[in-house]
Amino acid sequence: MVRGKQTRVLLLNDMERLECTLFRLEQGFELQFHLGPTLQGKSVHVHTNYPAPGKKFVSSSFRQLEWVNPSGREDDSDKYCKLDLEIAGSYQYYFGHEERTGGGFIVVDPVLRIGHERKILPLDCITVQTYLAKCLGPLDEWLDRLRVAKETGYNMIHFTPLQKLGASRSCYSIADQLELNPDFSPPGKNITWMDVGNLTEKIKKEWNMLCITDVVYNHTAANSKWIRHHPECGYNLVNSPYLKPAWLLDRALWHFSCAIADGKYSDSGLPPFIENDKCITILRGLLWTEVFSQLKLWEFLQVNVEKAVEQFRKVLQAGEPARPELEGKPKLKVIQDSQYRRLSNTVDMQLALEIFGRHTNGPKSIQECCDWFKKSLEELNVECYKEMHSHHEKAINCIVGTFFYERLVAHGPQLGPVTRTNPLVTRYFTFPFEDMAMEQENQLIQNPNDACHLLAHNGWVMGDDPLKNFAEPGSNVYLRRELVCWGDSVKLRYGVNPEDCPYLWAHMKKYTEITAKHFSGVRLDNCHSTPLHELIKPDLYVVAEVFTGSEELDNIFMTRLGITSLIREAMSAGDSHEEGRLVYHFGGEPVGSFVQPNLRPLVPSIAHAMFLDVTHDNKCPIQVRSVFDALPSTAIVSMACCASGSTRGYDELVPHQISVVKEERLYPKWNPDALPSSVGEVNLQTGIMSGKLALNKLHQELAEKGFTQVYVDQLDADTVAVTRHCPSTHQSVVTVSRTAFKNPKTHQYREHLDPMYIPGKIEEVILEARTVERNAESYVKDERFINGMPNYMVEIREHIQLEDSEIIKQGDATTKGRSEFVEEIVFEKLTPGSVIAFRVSLDPNSQKKVGYLRTQLSQFNRLYKSASLTDSNVPGILKIALDFLMSKLTLAELNVLLFRCDAEEQEDGGGCYNIPSWMPLKYGGLQGFVSVLSEFRPKNDLGHSFCDNLRQGDWMIDYVSSRLMNKGGALREVGKWFSAVFTYLKHIPRYLVPCYFDAIIVGAYATAVDAVFNQMSSFVQNGSTLVKQLALGSVQMCGVGRVPTLPPLSPELEDVPVRLNSVTKQEEQCCVSLAAGLPHFSTGIFRCWGRDTFIALRGLMLLTGRYLEARNIILAFAGTMRHGLIPNLLGQGVAARYNCRDAVWWWLQCIQDYCNIVPNGTDILMCPAVNIFVHELYQVHDQPLYVVIQEAMQCHMQGIEFRERNAGPQIDHNMRDEGFNVEAKVNPETGFVYGGNRFNCGTWMDKMGESDTAHNRGVPATPRDGSAVEVVGLSKSAVRWLMTMNENGNFPYSSVTIHRDGTEQSVSYKEWNQRIQENFERFFYVSEDASDPNEQHPDLVHKKCIYKDSYGASSPWCDYQLRPNFTIAMVVAPELFTVQRAWKALEIVEKKLLGPLGMKTLDPDDLVYCGVYDNALDNDNYNCAKGFNYHQGPEWLWPVGYFLRAKLYFAKKMGQEKYNESVYLVKNVLSRLYTRLERSPWKCLPELTNENGQYCPFSCETQAWSIATVLETLYDL
């Protein structure tokens, strides 16, 4: 399979600690660390212990990674640092700003190689067989015994430890970690580790098999010689004195056990042979009276009261000055004696003095204090007694429970009477001395030379935290008798680093080096509480078995120990259903999964599994289930998409557990000619070995050939079908296994199974096999060899045709629909213990269609080159590359291809695609589909309603192509391409349709997006991902509807787009218009708004390079000018409303921006504008734009005053009559533009009351009459610009001429500019000084050091409300502001108004603030009913752009430190906006949010000016 460079992206978030998360990667992958929203803008450092190229791995050595910023500027959305992963192992990373704030681990899988050619053995190919090394005999006989694994198809051998064993002869009790087991040396020869290495190398190169072995780090044999010389390597009573009480209890229990064995308690009803509940009750009582009460272990926790009181008395008599009185109520605590001697604990005498000794003035009061202190100590001692008593209770329960299991329950080991060999309980500590009385033993503790040899045994604790070392201080496991103890081993004590126990670390390092030198991998035995830092080896295959019961804890072991695979076993399943679930859980993707992109987020993994039918230390399946289940259960395991394996003996049907402790017999050798009666030899006629060979071969083939998809089907209670599917060839292997958990001889199984329907064409039966009895002697356990049951074998037939099968017969082949070819399978003899496996391909027609489809998809992703076919009759349109077809589309056509919401689609007579069982898509174009696919593709959610719809029919497929085919021109050609490629899609099996539909749509979408960026400015083309995503908003918002939205432009203009009207068949202009927001403001008269258009135009059209379309919009609005204003609502030119004072100033700002940004931009001033009211108001038809600009300026200076046309409820059913009177003028003293009245709202904060219930209908929530601060700023910007343009010869007017009192007066732009400049801060700044003479209403000041929202409002208190509008003036006319004042005001805005995504529209300290917008709520709340608070708190996004731009501008003036801080703030806000944009199915930014960034359902999901001002911020950055 062709696979390009694989890149995974890990998003770093502040305070996110992922140490319990498993991230698995392969060698050759690139890992990129990206900054999450909480870190963008900060100076973040990423450190890792992954070695630099050419360096060795040292787990404690970290290096800092370097940041790469592909776009080189703007935001941090693309900034990353990376690792090229070439070395296997577990590696740590951490990151932080000033200190460490997060981190985790990554695990890089090893690459295993076999044979002379060093062929790669994929992890999922592994089939391992475990051998008890001590049962292999002398080394020169090993190959004959190990050949069994080779001949039955295994490719890995796991050996238990090869070292010299301890006295118990347990495989895991090692006497010397450095010495080879002498049993492996034949007489007269001394075998060395080199001989073992030569053998494993021979097996690797000649047999193509790897060898791994166990490493045991946690314990050593109790009789290890080296532990006698180095007792510090264990937990003894010198280095671990806290174990003394537990040791005393252990010895007391030994003496008690000996007394029982000697019959001393027989008269008390407790004989050596205990066999009933009455004896157990007596045992409990005697444990209390004879053991625990006698030991008085509570004294190890208590204080010697008399001694402590005497010491306290002396302190009091010495009259030491008391320290200041302590706060609260301090409590006296016992200070434990470090040597754990009886009654030797103390308390803090200084604390005692402060609690009990504050009032001492004479002997009498000293005695009272001592009595008080004594009483407290006695209470403490009672608590200590209770604590020890609870330990005793637990210990007795554990002792009795263990005794009951070992001697009385039927399934236990049945140890029989209590003897010295089988004592009452296993001893927890070594005792390398002659037997002696308890009193003498107590003396041993006092002598360090003896006490150091009293060592704690190892074991495991049921239900304990596996990460916790139960022998360390603070654990009471030994005292409470909770340890399931291995009495043949000593627990090793490493400490934290090599300095803590030098000999042990050096010894184990040599042990590890020997193992790593001669073996390809290791199995970690008993990893629980292993020293985690010891084992990280970057070049080994590491497997382990952990029993945590938690995937999170599993992950900790995986990452800390560098484990590659965790051992799982089928024997944990109680039935076939659970066995099948394990197959699904441990690997593979669902059949029909989506193809994931090569660059994608790094997602948490589950641990790679080594799934075994049985492990070597578990019960025998034949005893637990039945002999007939061995074959079907191993078949189910073999079909898992992970490593698999077994234990020697399983395949030979050995009917008992091969004990790692007691087994001393040898494994049989391989002999192809051996007879079933030959106990010392085996071959493929033995047990299920022939079946295992076929299954192992199949397992390896499936992994090698990429059968990575898995489907598990429970056919009935005992029958499991497992499908493995290859996503490139679409070939499948289906294995049906009929399990036999219960013996068919004694259990009634169903006689008939329902037929099975397999989609596709069955090519062959790969194998059919069943377990049968044969005529041979019954099983007799051999004394020399580990023999199996000779009277059972497997009947197997391989690679046969369906009609030749003896287990099934072929039913009817049917076709479901035009593309679903299904074969029926009838089970005739699938008896319990049987297995059958089929190879299934697509039917020939589907195979061809998939091949043709993959050919087309290969233009998007070379992955599809494999299994592609050439169609000799390929449609002509498919001979043209899609990128070429899309390169012919204009951005307006790409708006149709990619976007258009439901209202836009309905205007054209259609609608967005609706999934009946779910919901309609957000867009009719490709983005509608991509948004949904990107949600469930990473999760492979094939059960999603979207996928169901695709599987059930072609409706969605036809929608995509027919929608485009109905358009004209280049869009129709793209539609033809979709139609042709979908013809292939419709003729493949329905289960494959979702993944191929996804591939087509995603490929086409990426091509379309490239076509968009190719037509945009270099700012976009070279910009970050965030810049590009926002630039797509330009395509989203700018389109052409069925009816032209803009009024006609002058025929004199060049490059005006035209089209043929479908009704009149006449040519008409079709200029792009800018929708205010989707979905509410997208079509008809409500699409286009003057204010929204020109707030958004710079960001969406000028910065993206859409200059021609920007020109057309500017000129179209120039043609609508009336009374010196442009309309608020354009209303397609027929329902225009001139009720806003600010739109004309935003229009003028955009003309200024056009002239500054566009090459030769001032040419626009000469362009003709067609006035649509020519017959009404004007004599001239076309006027140059500069004349229209002058008209606007002149009208304002003259004074605009009129009543809206058609005033009344027909144009606004909420407004009161006075509100239809429009006024906009210039104050001749200050130069400020002012206007409006308290019954209308002429700026962007334009909410009109609508509620009769709350009595706010017809009342504007925010009239902002007088001089609104942003309008003053915009007018200053326009006046300054026109003054400069005139000076440069680009604008013919230097002044405006007005008529006042019958005379003509002239005001120059220079003079007008000067007046605004001189008066702005005088009248708008709210000073800190209460006596400022410019402050007309000091009683109304609510916030100081800010700029007023307006000046001269009819309700003066409105002027003083803190709103974000003055930041707009700061951007367009920064010269109006004193730097220090501006900075202070911005700090207040940041603190009070900045939300997660937008700006609060009102100070939250204001009495009428309400941050939740609910337009549907109609109640008696005047301030909120029917959304009256639209601009009284909800957080609007577009002002945030102006705030951030103002912050950057003035931060530069404040110096580098402030600028750096501001850049961090800006990047941080941008990152939150990016996150919102990424997560939105609309792929855009909303109009507003409720308070604190909460989602607002009444907001437009995507708003033009929200996107535009964020783009402008990025441009400034």
Side-chain angles (χ1 to χ4, degrees), residues 303-315:
V303 179
N304 186 323
V305 175
E306 299 306 324
K307 190 176 174 184
V309 170
E310 201 49 46
Q311 186 185 350
F312 183 62
R313 189 189 304 278
K314 287 177 183 173
V315 173

Side-chain angles (χ1 to χ4, degrees), residues 736-955:
V736 183
S737 305
R738 193 163 190 201
T739 61
F741 277 51
K742 295 175 182 172
N743 194 330
K745 293 178 179 178
T746 56
H747 178 76
Q748 186 65 46
Y749 283 88
R750 275 180 64 189
E751 202 165 313
H752 298 291
L753 296 178
D754 295 334
M756 183 181 180
Y757 297 91
I758 296 180
K761 184 176 185 300
I762 296 177
E763 301 283 356
E764 65 162 345
V765 174
I766 301 170
L767 66 92
E768 60 178 30
R770 57 190 181 133
T771 310
V772 295
E773 284 192 78
R774 64 175 162 196
N775 199 7
E777 293 178 16
S778 295
Y779 171 78
V780 177
K781 188 172 182 178
D782 190 73
E783 290 184 6
R784 288 184 57 222
F785 298 103
I786 302 169
N787 59 321
M789 301 171 75
N791 49 334
Y792 291 92
M793 65 171 287
V794 165
E795 283 182 355
I796 183 165
R797 303 167 76 218
E798 297 182 74
H799 304 295
I800 59 172
Q801 290 305 301
L802 205 57
E803 56 268 22
D804 298 327
S805 170
E806 294 176 357
I807 288 181
I808 54 108
K809 73 170 185 179
Q810 190 170 7
D812 298 325
T814 58
T815 306
K816 284 165 64 181
R818 60 170 168 245
S819 56
E820 206 73 36
F821 188 85
V822 176
E823 292 210 41
E824 182 189 29
I825 298 299
V826 179
F827 297 107
E828 288 196 314
K829 290 183 183 175
L830 191 73
T831 53
S834 303
V835 175
I836 187 166
F838 310 98
R839 192 179 306 280
V840 184
S841 297
L842 299 180
D843 64 276
N845 185 48
S846 295
Q847 262 182 31
K848 281 194 285 187
K849 298 298 186 201
V850 167
Y852 302 157
L853 187 51
R854 291 179 74 88
T855 298
Q856 293 302 319
L857 290 172
S858 63
Q859 66 185 294
F860 308 134
N861 188 339
R862 60 196 185 96
L863 170 82
Y864 293 101
K865 278 280 185 197
S866 65
S868 60
L869 296 170
T870 304
D871 183 2
S872 55
N873 299 312
V874 63
I877 193 72
L878 294 183
K879 293 177 181 175
I880 306 170
L882 185 61
D883 60 354
F884 179 79
L885 294 174
M886 287 188 176
S887 71
K888 302 299 180 188
L889 298 175
T890 65
L891 289 174
E893 288 170 320
L894 283 159
N895 162 265
V896 177
L897 175 64
L898 288 168
F899 297 106
R900 303 229 302 179
C901 68
D902 195 53
E904 293 173 286
E905 290 290 307
Q906 285 185 26
E907 191 178 50
D908 259 5
C912 290
Y913 188 76
N914 181 28
I915 297 170
S917 59
W918 193 51
M919 63 171 79
L921 304 184
K922 304 303 182 194
Y923 296 109
L926 297 181
Q927 183 67 66
F929 300 89
V930 167
S931 289
V932 182
L933 287 164
S934 63
E935 276 294 304
F936 61 76
R937 183 194 308 111
K939 298 178 279 193
N940 263 323
D941 183 6
L942 293 165
H944 195 283
S945 300
F946 188 100
C947 299
D948 283 342
N949 190 268
L950 282 167
R951 285 189 292 263
Q952 288 164 9
D954 296 335
W955 314 290

Side-chain angles (χ1 to χ4, degrees), residues 462-513:
M462 201 175 291
D464 196 30
D465 179 357
L467 295 173
K468 189 172 142 193
N469 186 337
F470 54 75
E472 290 290 337
S475 168
N476 290 302
V477 162
Y478 287 88
L479 181 61
R480 292 161 66 89
R481 304 298 295 186
E482 293 172 315
L483 188 69
V484 179
C485 184
W486 302 324
D488 61 350
S489 65
V490 167
K491 186 167 181 65
L492 296 176
R493 181 177 180 269
Y494 287 86
V496 177
N497 50 50
E499 291 74 35
D500 294 334
C501 195
Y503 181 84
L504 180 59
W505 284 75
H507 184 74
M508 289 305 186
K509 186 182 179 190
K510 287 180 201 164
Y511 169 41
T512 303
E513 287 168 351

Side-chain angles (χ1 to χ4, degrees), residues 1395-1421:
L1397 298 176
M1399 302 296 289
K1400 290 179 176 65
T1401 35
L1402 181 61
D1403 180 359
D1405 297 333
D1406 198 292
L1407 289 173
V1408 297
Y1409 170 85
C1410 177
V1412 177
Y1413 174 59
D1414 185 346
N1415 201 37
L1417 178 71
D1418 192 6
N1419 59 16
D1420 60 359
N1421 186 334

Side-chain angles (χ1 to χ4, degrees), residues 596-614:
Q596 305 295 341
N598 288 355
L599 188 153
R600 59 180 184 269
L602 179 64
V603 295
S605 320
I606 66 162
H608 182 259
M610 176 179 272
F611 190 28
L612 309 180
D613 42 35
V614 67

